[in-house]
Amino acid sequence: MQIKNQEEEWKDVNITLYPKKYSQKELDELFEEACKVLLDFMEKERNYQGFVTSDLDLIEEIEGFPFFIQWESLAPEVIDEKGHLLVIDEGYDGFVNLIAIFEYEDWKKEQQISVHVKTNETKDISILIEKELLLLRCQVLELLVVLIKMR
């Protein structure tokens, strides 16, 4: 960066900005706030149904907070650490505990989140949608037959 000195000459100046340093108390308070934001986000991920039927978006940062978030799954065969739903069994209905690990420099704290996974809901809904589409197609074909006969 360049600035003018008192003699109106341009001089090169290096400015180094350091991120804010947080105290242990500040980090603990920010952690509590960030957990609330994360839990609200996770509730939206569940579409307010209370359960999960597809992959989750496990965020690694929350805007306005200094933390990096890593994830662990206590049932990686059901949901992995990236949020991918791995169970494809029709009728799976169970709970998975995910651990959000908040990190800032050498500070670390965890928040456990329980997620209800239901794979049968997705399959049931898709079957209903397929049946409805088939019914609509049949009705459209019937209307076309009537229109052709009217010509």
Side-chain angles (χ1 to χ4, degrees):
M1 173 174 168
Q2 288 192 329
I3 61 169
K4 280 188 180 181
N5 64 13
Q6 292 174 342
E7 291 84 33
E8 296 292 316
E9 298 171 339
W10 288 100
K11 295 283 185 172
D12 287 329
V13 176
N14 290 327
I15 298 176
T16 305
L17 298 175
Y18 295 100
K20 179 181 177 182
K21 293 284 186 183
Y22 293 92
S23 69
Q24 181 74 33
K25 182 180 177 186
E26 288 175 314
L27 288 170
D28 290 340
E29 289 171 358
L30 286 169
F31 171 76
E32 295 300 324
E33 290 177 43
C35 284
K36 289 176 187 171
V37 172
L38 180 63
L39 292 173
D40 285 346
F41 179 81
M42 293 297 289
E43 187 63 28
K44 289 176 187 162
E45 277 287 289
R46 291 179 258 192
N47 297 320
Y48 301 103
Q49 301 172 26
F51 55 86
V52 172
T53 59
S54 61
D55 292 350
L56 291 170
D57 182 15
L58 299 179
I59 57 177
E60 295 179 341
E61 295 179 323
I62 301 173
E63 190 175 330
F65 293 92
F67 308 112
F68 175 73
I69 305 170
Q70 289 187 334
W71 292 88
E72 287 182 12
S73 173
L74 298 183
E77 70 281 0
V78 179
I79 297 179
D80 68 13
E81 72 280 352
K82 299 287 184 198
H84 300 121
L85 186 62
L86 303 176
V87 171
I88 55 173
D89 298 336
E90 187 172 340
Y92 181 86
D93 187 351
F95 286 86
V96 174
N97 289 321
L98 299 173
I99 299 173
I101 304 163
F102 290 74
E103 297 179 24
Y104 173 80
E105 294 180 354
D106 59 349
W107 180 94
K108 187 186 282 193
K109 210 164 195 177
E110 297 179 357
Q111 173 68 41
Q112 186 167 309
I113 300 169
S114 185
V115 178
H116 189 183
V117 177
K118 278 184 151 183
T119 58
N120 60 335
E121 294 297 321
T122 302
K123 297 195 187 288
D124 291 346
I125 291 170
S126 63
I127 290 169
L128 287 173
I129 291 171
E130 286 178 32
K131 286 180 181 177
E132 288 296 318
L133 284 173
L134 186 58
L135 182 61
L136 285 172
R137 286 183 185 140
C138 290
Q139 290 173 346
V140 168
L141 286 174
E142 289 172 4
L143 286 172
L144 286 173
V145 169
V146 170
L147 288 172
I148 290 172
K149 285 182 180 179
M150 290 176 63
R151 282 188 154 183

